[in-house]
Amino acid sequence: MPAKRKEKERKKPGKKGGGAAGKKLWGGRFTERTSGVVEAFTESISFDWRLWKYDIEGSIAHAKMLGRQGIISKKDASLIAKGLCEIADDIEAGRFSFRRELEDIHMNIESALTERIGPAGGKLHTARSRNDQIALDLRLYLRAEAANITGLLKRFKDALVQAAEKNADTVMPGYTHLQRAQPVLLSHHLLAYAEMADRDLARLSGAMKRINVLPLGSCALAGTSLRIDRHFVADLLHFESVSDNSMDSVSDRDFVIEFIAASALVMMHLSRFSEEIVLWASQEFSFIELPDAFATGSSIMPQKKNPDVAELVRGKTGRVYGNLMNMLTIMKGLPLSYNRDLQEDKMPLFDTVDTVKAALGVLSEMLPAIGFKKERLQGTAEEGFSTATDLAEYLVRKGMPFREAHGVSGRVVLYAIKNCKMLTALGLDELKGFSRLFEADVFDVLAAPASVNAKQSYGGTAYSQVSRQIRKHRKAPGR
Ligand code: ARG
């Protein structure tokens, strides 16, 4: 394959239509020209041109198999492969013009091939249909992009683990209902997202198994009477397996839906993370300082520094959810086997791939540059009576039933609110007024760092548990 070039540089398809019926590759049984509106309405080259590399890769493998099986001559097979490589070079270099009247990427390439090498080009489509060809192109594309996204997700996860390591002992308030709940380690909070990333990675790798199946050779829907060797093609294209039912292979897009669903979950997690970035960057929270390079200003309010990156990740999540619903809806009423509706799968798929890659890329770069305000985080963790549960658990350790201890601790909080005191500022005699079980050692559990370090239960927020998580992630950076 030729060296990589910017996709933008390649010539996009022109807007003109109106080709003669005779010029269509399928024009044999037609006597009238295709109407211009129909060409404009049915074309897909304006977006499926992105599949050119996979279309050519698949065609070369197909031609080799046809030559090897003696279905076409070895000479024609190598002419075809050579012609296709030259076309790939032209596309890469921006020298290829995609033509709308040729409808889609498959026919654009096939007709360029015949123009280039003559009648041998007409043999490429032997024992193949565009129905299995597009299924192949999509699977090759998705296999490559799912691997790219997996790499980006591992990088994002790595940025989370590194931020956790860097802030390993910073205490912050943990929230439920967005109300201060119990002190936690910032690293524990960040590593929660690393767990989500691990599950996202596992989902992508599960989807990959079902993407990595060869559909080519299913032909239009029924297979072929020619003696093809699908397993040979699968080996050439590094597919793990060959599809077992030709009607299923040309007509299902569940692998696309599964990928978009996995992507929707990735975006949901990124969106939650982004929401926290937005909150934490606000003056009200003031937990983080966003790097200038990752914030934007206001055209009217000179003082503003806005978390637009995080907001856009949150906003773009809607696109991916929309793409998922789009695909599910396209599929729900389709009878077997191929239907042209399936052409509509590309835009939601491409948009999902582009959106997830962009979101992961920008967040992975922004995360290491975020400044966490340690003192502010720690100071806030002490406020809001967030160690009231520790007070109750203290009484449990002294023998009081939890429900009773909860009541005592609640009354202590009420008293502290009325007297405008923090729990740590109460005297032992004041506490003894609520229960005789309180002793001087109660003050050991009331400070936020002590509260955190007492949470030694497996998966808890104590430092020992957090460092176990970090070790685990370091050992297996991505599942
Ligand atoms: N552009 C079509 C698609 O994306 C390719 C297959 C067309 N097949 C057909 N019989 N019209 O699905």
Side-chain angles (χ1 to χ4, degrees), residues 44 48 103-104 106 130-131 134 338 340 342-343 346:
S44 56
D48 69 11
E103 205 176 302
D104 57 24
H106 323 302
R130 280 184 294 155
N131 298 351
I134 186 60
Y338 179 83
R340 191 63 178 272
L342 293 175
Q343 180 166 292
K346 278 153 217 72

Side-chain angles (χ1 to χ4, degrees), residues 4-294:
K4 254 202 165 172
R5 272 277 210 109
K6 282 250 155 67
E7 295 203 329
K8 263 191 244 137
E9 287 172 32
R10 278 177 223 113
K11 286 188 197 150
K12 299 261 181 76
K15 288 258 179 301
K16 281 217 207 114
K23 286 225 173 130
K24 302 280 187 210
L25 295 183
W26 40 255
R29 58 101 67 225
F30 287 77
T31 52
E32 281 177 35
R33 284 165 70 114
T34 312
S35 147
V37 267
V38 171
E39 273 187 359
F41 188 69
T42 56
E43 66 85 21
S44 56
I45 188 63
S46 58
F47 47 92
D48 69 11
W49 66 272
R50 285 177 57 158
L51 296 171
W52 66 269
K53 200 188 287 181
Y54 306 105
D55 198 74
I56 288 178
E57 192 186 346
S59 289
I60 291 174
H62 183 65
K64 281 188 182 156
M65 181 277 291
L66 292 176
R68 187 168 178 266
Q69 294 297 102
I71 298 171
I72 64 173
S73 70
K74 285 242 160 65
K75 191 170 153 252
D76 282 345
S78 58
L79 257 179
I80 290 173
K82 189 167 161 280
L84 287 170
C85 285
E86 286 166 13
I87 291 171
D89 286 343
D90 282 354
I91 298 176
E92 189 89 71
R95 289 191 299 264
F96 189 92
S97 299
F98 293 105
R99 287 158 56 192
R100 195 182 76 180
E101 67 272 22
L102 291 174
E103 205 176 302
D104 57 24
I105 186 61
H106 323 302
M107 292 198 291
N108 265 270
I109 289 175
E110 191 189 321
S111 77
L113 179 69
T114 304
E115 264 170 40
R116 190 177 287 261
I117 67 167
K123 298 185 180 176
L124 170 61
H125 212 54
T126 311
R128 184 177 83 169
S129 146
R130 280 184 294 155
N131 298 351
D132 56 344
Q133 194 178 351
I134 186 60
L136 172 69
D137 291 6
L138 276 183
R139 285 173 183 274
L140 286 171
Y141 163 82
L142 204 39
R143 189 173 72 180
E145 292 296 4
N148 289 337
I149 290 172
T150 297
L152 286 167
L153 195 48
K154 284 184 183 168
R155 197 174 136 222
F156 174 66
K157 187 194 145 180
D158 190 54
L160 285 166
V161 176
Q162 267 184 38
E165 273 178 319
K166 225 168 103 185
N167 299 281
D169 58 358
T170 301
V171 176
M172 68 175 288
Y175 293 82
T176 62
H177 312 268
L178 203 57
Q179 306 285 321
R180 282 177 206 152
Q182 292 185 300
V184 293
L185 287 178
L186 169 60
S187 45
H188 193 55
H189 191 125
L190 293 170
L191 289 174
Y193 288 99
E195 292 293 325
M196 299 175 216
D198 267 347
R199 291 194 296 278
D200 288 335
L201 284 165
R203 265 184 289 271
L204 279 172
S205 108
M208 188 68 112
K209 278 196 195 78
R210 287 170 287 279
I211 290 168
N212 205 9
V213 180
L214 176 89
L216 199 72
S218 298
C219 303
L221 76 160
T224 175
S225 60
L226 301 166
R227 286 175 52 90
I228 58 172
D229 183 350
R230 299 186 61 207
H231 291 85
F232 176 70
V233 178
D235 284 346
L236 283 183
L237 295 172
H238 309 294
F239 278 102
E240 241 170 61
S241 58
V242 175
S243 66
D244 276 315
N245 181 306
S246 60
M247 295 182 78
D248 172 46
S249 353
V250 295
S251 66
D252 209 342
R253 293 292 183 267
D254 56 358
F255 65 98
V256 172
I257 295 176
E258 190 178 355
F259 168 78
I260 302 180
S263 300
L265 288 173
V266 171
M267 290 303 293
M268 181 268 285
H269 291 145
L270 297 185
S271 184
R272 296 186 70 186
F273 182 68
S274 297
E275 168 69 10
E276 301 210 291
I277 302 276
V278 172
L279 285 172
W280 292 359
S282 71
Q283 262 109 46
E284 283 68 17
F285 274 83
S286 236
F287 283 178
I288 56 172
E289 184 65 35
L290 283 180
D292 277 6
F294 288 86

Side-chain angles (χ1 to χ4, degrees), residues 425-447:
L426 296 174
L428 183 57
D429 36 334
E430 281 173 297
L431 286 171
K432 275 198 180 290
F434 293 91
S435 165
R436 288 207 324 257
L437 293 176
F438 285 124
E439 320 257 357
D441 60 353
V442 68
F443 297 105
D444 297 344
V445 307
L446 288 181

